[in-house]
Amino acid sequence: MTFVSPLFIPARVENVRKPDYLTQLFSFVVSLLLILKKTTALRYLLKVIYWVILAGLQALHAQKIPDKGVPWIDNYTTEQYNNHGKIWDIASAGNGIVYMAGDAGLLEYDGQIWNQFKGSKGCTRSLLVVNDSLIYSGSDLDFGVWNKNEYDQWAYTSLYPFGKDPNEENEEFWDVYRMKDYAVFISFTNVYIYRNKQITKIPAPTRFAGSFQGKDKIYLADEKNGLYVFNGMTLKRLFNYPSEMPFKISGVFETPNGLIIAAKDGGLFLFNSEKVSSLTNAVSGYLKKDQVFCAAQINDAYYAFGTILNGLYITDLNGHIIQHINRKKGLLNNTILSVHYASNGLLWLGMDYGIAAIHLHSGLTYFIDYQGDYGSAKSALLSGDQFYLGTNQGLYHAQWQDLNNKVNSQPFALVKGSEGQVWALGEVNGTILCGHDKGLFAVSGNTLRRIYGEPGVWTFIPYKDKYLLTGNYNGVSVFKMEGGRYAFLKKLELILGSCNQLLNERDNILWVNIPNFGLIRFELDDDLCPQNRIIFPATSFTGHAPHLLKDEKGITLLTDTYRYRYDPGEKQFIQQSANRAPKNVAGLPDGIYMPAPLGPNFHFYPIYNGFALVNTSVTPPRKSHDLLLLVRKIEAFNNHTRQLLSRNASIPYSLNNLSIRYAVPNQNQVMYQYQLVDFSKQWSDWTTHTSVDFLNLAEGDYTLKIRAKVNGELSGGITDVAFRIAPPWYRTYFAYAAYVVLTILLYLLIRARQNFRLREQKKILLEQEQNALHRQAEKYRQEALISQQQQLEQELNFLKQQLKHKSVELAKQARENENKNRLLSHLKEKIEEVRHDPATSKLNWAEMKRLLELYLETDDKAFEIQIDDLHQEFFQKLREQFPDLSLYDLRLCAYLKIGLNSKEISEIQKVLPSSINVSRSRLRKKLNLQHDQDLYGYLNQLG
């Protein structure tokens, strides 16, 4: 196979959109007038009027491309799209999905996922997207058609009728077009027409070097014989190449004045009235130098030229450069192999390395300092035609018109003496002020004048016409206008810290924002002294980077988490809602950044390594409600396998886990929401996820509803996905019928068996009842015997206890009687001695008294011994719990237990009652009793 260098591949041109019906109607009317009027002058005048009005209509309907800054570029490296190789052709379907012809086959991209499909063996060179389910493509030695199968996957069918001939050059099909209801495939050597499943072949005059589609026709450039036009049946030559200016055609555009021809090495030419002449406009010289390789028309109002050496040029119809984008401005590569404008406003580029999608109509453009010329912007100001930019490197100025994205433009110049961090720019009372790390400056043209040298001016605001307040690294400074200039007056008292924001609520009420400290609301009196300060600590708010705003509703505080509204009546902030910072601006530093207005149509945003502009006059290409939400893939799965599904598919129960992927193709700022009908009555939360998984679904019919919103606006209605989960085999109708039959048979079998068992069980039950009665009678007899035995044992124990007490008492009584008899015997003896010997009567009477007293004392001790014998068990319990109790304490407890009062105990003990009361108090302490506890009750509980 012969290899053709990319630099000599025939190029193609896309004409994206035909004029609308208003333009066509106007063209018809003017053409009718031209036919009716025969004079040359009138025809010429009417023709001029026609083209002027036609250009106005096209400009009215065309979508504007911003000319300042570079639109946002989505770059994709080869690794991101599966190393698909070089991209030779790009086209898009009406649903927004982009298709690309690459070295490895057909490439599909919906803004989220890259899908790769292999068709013929060779590299795919060209494609024609007829609709979202039909694509024609051309490749090396083959061309064919792609159709979607039931699973929304592309399947390729070859239409090329010939095999490889080793004696001829292999055909490579670099272009595919549609004319009316048939497809046209073009190689270097032939034109193939595919109509009604028949192929017609038309050979090239010598060798085709390029082809370009026009309105109902195709232009073909022959290497030697010039430019031809193909009307669907025959080739007709338009002109020969001029001998003095040979060129290779890279693009052809139809215009009212003739054909504009882009030559690879020669720039732009105009073919009119069988004459080819060179065009001398702003872009032609650059195209000649940078070598045009491909071209496309954008909305009938712009041209896009892809070059080999210097990226992309976008011009208006007159050749004025609107955008020039190359590697220095954000592309991955300077060689553009293919270019395609999609209806959603994206300009797709296939490069020698990588793919790019340029957001032409977003209105958001970027100035990114790839070369380190001016740094990261912080503030900006537009004063007349002069644009000032404050960055981390200093203050820069440029003419506003010079910010247009022209070729190799570097409009910024550093204002001398402004080196360092610029924080704020503004115009107050006709004076341009610059808040700088080195102090406060006045700016005039490209010169600076220092107003005050205190370092670090974050911000400034005017106050009562003649005053200026500045927030500094430390506190707030006051300046006064004197003689047309601001001069330092004083520092505000009681306001300390780094004040990065000042806000005038009304009259003399101001706010100051001090990071990491909080907010201060205060009033300035006539002497410019803060009064009535209210401090709101930073800890009162959730989130970081607090930022104050003022609107018609009052004062609002924004953090990176919440929005707060100040209530003047309550003098406090009320949390309102979550704060969502703008996400459409890429590269914003940390913090809250509100758009800074620059004139009536532009807003400024600071970003890392540059800044961004929003052109509010640029409208998006499509309304959100026109965008389609597509279901991209339905897949059932379990732990072992995955299976693609079609719409309304019946899914086996073994694969009752479902994954559904969806997307609004190639759109940013898209949120999705879904609802599984009959499973959930509520919609899910809005999310950026483009897929949803449902696990362990029960059998039944389901409908999944999906909707999307783009940039906060609902788009395309609701998309329904219906599917059915089949029941497991054991819950099918056949299974249920089998269950019924088996149940009946089982019932009959069980009933017969049950009847038999009932008869047998009656006999067994009768025997069991008799045995049970015998066992019950025996049980009652045994229980009666046991009860009687227990009663006898209790009575025996009681009698033993009584016998013990009686024995003790009898023994005591016998001892007492013996003691009395002994005493009486002694007394008798003493009396006899007195009778026989009266002289010893006094001595004997004393001895008898002593014996009587000894007997009485012994009788008292006998009582104590009797008490001790009767309460041995009680004393044992007391000793176990209170081992510190004395014998006296134990006897006192026994006296109290049997109910003796203090007087009775004192008579027994022969002591005063007060001594017994003291002993009782000591006993309560030893027993750990509270004052409200009854001693008598406690002792009886123990006994």
Side-chain angles (χ1 to χ4, degrees), residues 84-143:
H84 199 77
K86 292 181 174 58
I87 303 301
W88 302 108
D89 199 5
I90 307 174
S92 58
N95 58 15
I97 296 179
V98 175
Y99 297 92
M100 304 176 189
D103 291 344
L106 179 66
L107 193 62
E108 177 188 67
Y109 186 55
D110 61 7
Q112 300 292 330
I113 303 296
W114 295 91
N115 293 318
Q116 190 174 7
F117 305 94
K118 184 62 178 177
S120 59
K121 295 181 180 179
C123 299
T124 303
R125 305 294 187 181
S126 58
L127 56 83
L128 168 67
V129 177
V130 179
N131 52 51
D132 58 4
S133 59
L134 179 63
I135 296 175
Y136 292 100
S137 67
S139 57
D140 297 342
L141 199 62
D142 194 15
F143 60 82

Side-chain angles (χ1 to χ4, degrees), residues 61-95:
H61 291 284
Q63 292 160 340
K64 184 178 179 181
I65 297 177
D67 54 3
K68 297 186 187 305
V70 179
W72 179 254
I73 304 172
D74 293 321
N75 283 308
Y76 306 96
T77 64
T78 56
E79 291 79 10
Q80 290 177 271
Y81 54 90
N82 304 321
N83 295 308
H84 199 77
K86 292 181 174 58
I87 303 301
W88 302 108
D89 199 5
I90 307 174
S92 58
N95 58 15

